[in-house]
Amino acid sequence: MALQRPKGTQDLLPSQTAKWQYLEEMMRKVCREYGYEEIRTPIFEATELFQRGVGETTDIVNKEMYTFLDKGERSITLRPEGTASVCRAYVENKLYAGPQPVKLYYIGPMFRYERPQTGRYRQFHQFGVEVLGSEKPVVDAETISLVWDLYQRLGLKNLEVHINSVGCPSCRADHRQKLQEFLAPRREELCPDCQDRFERNPLRILDCKNPKCQKLTQGAPTTADTLCEDCQGHFNALQELLQAAGVVFRVNPRLVRGLDYYRKTAFEVMVEEIGAQSAICGGGRYDGLTEEIGGPPTPGIGFAMGMERVLAAIEVQKAMPDQVERPFVMVAALGKEAEGKGFALLQALRHAGIPAGMDLLGRGLKAQLKNADRQEAKLALLIGEEELQKDSFILRDLSLGEQQEFPWQDALALISQRYREEHGS
Ligand code: HAM
């Protein structure tokens, strides 16, 4: 039996990679405009980084990590997300010693052993942004505005931007206690996972997808009810800044993120049309994380978006511009000598920056012209026996069906001129 790719992974074929490149270019462009620089960290890290960074009580660390021992008996994990790695790199490379804040972005594959379904993969790709070194709400507003601007630029509609504040360790302790008091009489009715979460991380119960748990938590105290003065002030300032920037958002007091490191701001962006896995972006503030992994206390905020899901949203909303690069001219040569002459011209055209192609299967003239049509080339340049003799060529406009003969020496200049006329340069 022919071998197949592992479950939850994808082959991205040329018809798709063109769309990926479009998306990546747009992301890089917006990052440049906002003053974010790219960071590339390893695909695998010491397992401990994620245990300490992402958190022992999360599904990611408990159930979803690709962890193995390498030949040196070290426990290694394929990165399930990028934030912990970026914080590690910030500390390890002493980026805290330079000007602050440090504004970084990354694009790359992440790995989670989840149950594959539409929009959920075991290898998926994130575009993420992390800002380290500022605790000010204006940074929260900047990152959320970047997400908003990018989606506007991509032409996405029906976005739901939800924001919340999950508080800091001091107001969280208060919330935890109130939530446990609320849930205690219903504890036995919660799903087994949530019974487990009751002691370890009750906040996550608010995020459980089980309909019964959702019903049981109706009316439960939210983090927004227990924010301390500092967290409330931060949250208010963020909302004012977002309004000033024209970002359309909604405060969702039940928004709880699936990773342990969040403090104060948490946010998600949803596009319902792409199905059950509708979160195209998630992020928030993580002021304790850098310290947690052994660095100096450093505030941080960021987000990551699942690129497969962003592309799915672009696809359902038909917002993808045509990505196919068509040859401007196809050289159709007949016979060995003509082929040599045609090939030299083909290369000269390419060196002049003109997308050009040639038959690579030794087909007859009719098949070559048919191929040029199929590729939606604008022009075909023909050289056969007769043209060789006369040192000429025939230029055929494939859309008009008209053709004309020219001296060979004019070929490059003529096609270059046509190309410039067509492309306005
Ligand atoms: P996250 O919410 O776990 O956050 O993931 C961010 C986004 O990655 C999700 O909203 C979703 O679009 C995409 N995603 C997650 N898992 C999958 C999957 N299995 N298949 C396809 N797409 C997926 C983080 O990863 C944080 N590191 C975000 C962050 C950065 N917070 C602060 N800085």
Side-chain angles (χ1 to χ4, degrees):
M1 201 176 74
L3 294 176
Q4 294 182 330
R5 60 177 186 266
K7 214 172 147 190
T9 66
Q10 285 183 295
D11 293 315
L12 298 175
L13 302 176
S15 58
Q16 288 138 325
T17 48
K19 297 174 182 171
W20 280 75
Q21 285 169 12
Y22 162 77
L23 181 60
E24 286 166 18
E25 275 159 27
M26 200 68 101
M27 288 165 166
R28 291 181 193 284
K29 191 159 181 269
V30 174
C31 280
R32 269 197 302 276
E33 288 169 12
Y34 271 77
Y36 287 70
E37 293 177 300
E38 186 179 5
I39 183 166
R40 300 187 188 192
T41 60
I43 301 283
F44 59 85
E45 296 269 4
T47 301
E48 196 189 344
L49 175 67
F50 303 114
Q51 286 169 336
R52 277 166 55 181
V54 176
E56 297 276 11
T57 67
T58 60
D59 283 353
I60 294 181
V61 170
N62 273 316
K63 304 181 191 160
E64 297 169 3
M65 293 210 299
Y66 277 91
T67 299
F68 58 95
L69 286 181
D70 72 5
K71 291 191 198 301
E73 303 283 306
R74 286 168 286 256
S75 181
I76 295 291
T77 293
L78 300 184
R79 60 182 191 189
E81 60 103 51
T83 313
S85 304
V86 171
C87 290
R88 180 204 46 69
Y90 174 86
V91 176
E92 192 165 342
N93 299 286
K94 300 193 175 49
L95 299 185
Y96 51 79
Q100 303 296 303
V102 175
K103 306 204 308 183
L104 302 165
Y105 80 92
Y106 49 89
I107 293 177
M110 306 290 162
F111 306 85
R112 295 184 193 177
Y113 193 81
E114 292 193 84
R115 198 169 49 76
Q117 63 181 87
T118 307
R120 196 203 271 154
Y121 306 95
R122 290 184 174 168
Q123 174 172 339
F124 60 100
H125 298 78
Q126 282 187 344
F127 158 60
V129 149
E130 314 290 351
V131 186
L132 290 144
S134 170
E135 56 178 17
K136 298 293 176 209
V138 68
V139 193
D140 309 34
E142 180 177 273
T143 54
I144 297 172
S145 301
L146 191 158
V147 174
W148 179 258
D149 277 358
L150 173 67
Y151 291 159
Q152 301 304 309
R153 209 73 77 80
L154 292 167
L156 287 179
K157 298 192 176 60
N158 310 331
L159 300 170
E160 280 193 46
V161 180
H162 289 193
I163 66 168
N164 190 21
S165 176
V166 293
C168 63
S170 86
C171 44
R172 261 257 275 274
D174 188 19
H175 175 253
R176 183 191 162 95
Q177 199 192 339
K178 292 205 167 102
L179 185 59
Q180 280 176 330
E181 279 166 16
F182 177 89
L183 290 172
R186 305 152 225 242
R187 190 173 172 174
E188 305 294 295
E189 294 168 68
L190 293 167
C191 75
D193 272 350
C194 283
Q195 295 204 16
D196 199 35
R197 287 174 185 140
F198 186 87
E199 284 301 336
R200 295 204 303 162
N201 193 355
L203 186 62
R204 297 274 298 129
I205 300 176
L206 296 179
D207 191 37
C208 183
K209 300 290 174 274
N210 185 313
K212 199 161 169 216
C213 295
Q214 286 184 347
K215 205 155 171 215
L216 288 168
T217 54
Q218 265 173 23
T222 63
T223 48
D225 299 330
T226 51
L227 291 183
C228 65
E229 216 180 302
D230 178 38
C231 289
Q232 188 67 59
H234 188 99
F235 195 37
N236 294 346
L238 169 62
Q239 292 178 52
E240 280 165 27
L241 288 161
L242 288 177
Q243 270 153 9
V247 176
V248 180
F249 64 92
R250 183 156 85 81
V251 174
N252 175 359
R254 289 183 67 98
L255 174 68
V256 178
R257 303 267 305 125
L259 300 91
D260 275 355
Y261 47 60
Y262 292 109
R263 291 192 189 172
K264 295 184 176 164
T265 308
F267 64 97
E268 265 179 17
V269 184
M270 266 82 63
V271 174
E272 295 301 337
E273 296 146 273
I274 61 171
Q277 302 303 313
S278 62
I280 59 171
C281 178
R285 183 164 274 288
Y286 47 84
D287 292 349
L289 176 56
T290 304
E291 208 175 347
E292 185 67 42
I293 60 169
T298 311
I301 173 142
F303 65 78
M305 54 182 78
M307 296 176 62
E308 287 81 359
R309 294 187 193 175
V310 176
L311 281 165
I314 295 176
E315 206 71 40
V316 289
Q317 298 190 1
K318 302 194 174 21
M320 178 62 72
D322 195 359
Q323 291 307 314
V324 185
E325 179 80 62
R326 301 194 165 83
F328 182 67
V329 54
M330 286 296 286
V331 176
L334 265 192
K336 204 160 168 245
E337 203 181 327
E339 187 183 56
K341 209 169 167 182
F343 187 68
L345 176 67
L346 172 72
Q347 289 307 94
L349 288 164
R350 286 171 169 167
H351 297 161
I354 300 169
M358 193 171 173
D359 175 58
L360 300 173
L361 292 170
R363 286 178 281 207
L365 189 61
K366 216 167 139 197
Q368 290 196 41
L369 285 175
K370 204 165 154 199
N371 180 38
D373 255 341
R374 199 173 47 84
Q375 299 215 24
E376 295 179 43
K378 180 85 190 136
L379 303 172
L381 184 148
L382 319 174
I383 6 167
E385 259 321 295
E386 217 182 303
E387 290 75 33
L388 264 186
Q389 301 278 326
K390 295 200 277 183
D391 201 26
S392 68
F393 68 95
I394 291 172
L395 194 62
R396 186 182 176 113
D397 187 313
L398 290 166
S399 46
L400 302 176
E402 291 167 0
Q403 62 182 47
Q404 209 181 333
E405 192 169 351
F406 297 98
W408 181 254
Q409 64 193 39
D410 295 345
L412 182 59
L414 194 69
I415 295 169
S416 302
Q417 190 196 337
R418 288 279 191 96
Y419 186 70
R420 279 197 303 273
E421 281 167 14
E422 191 102 346
H423 291 82
S425 61

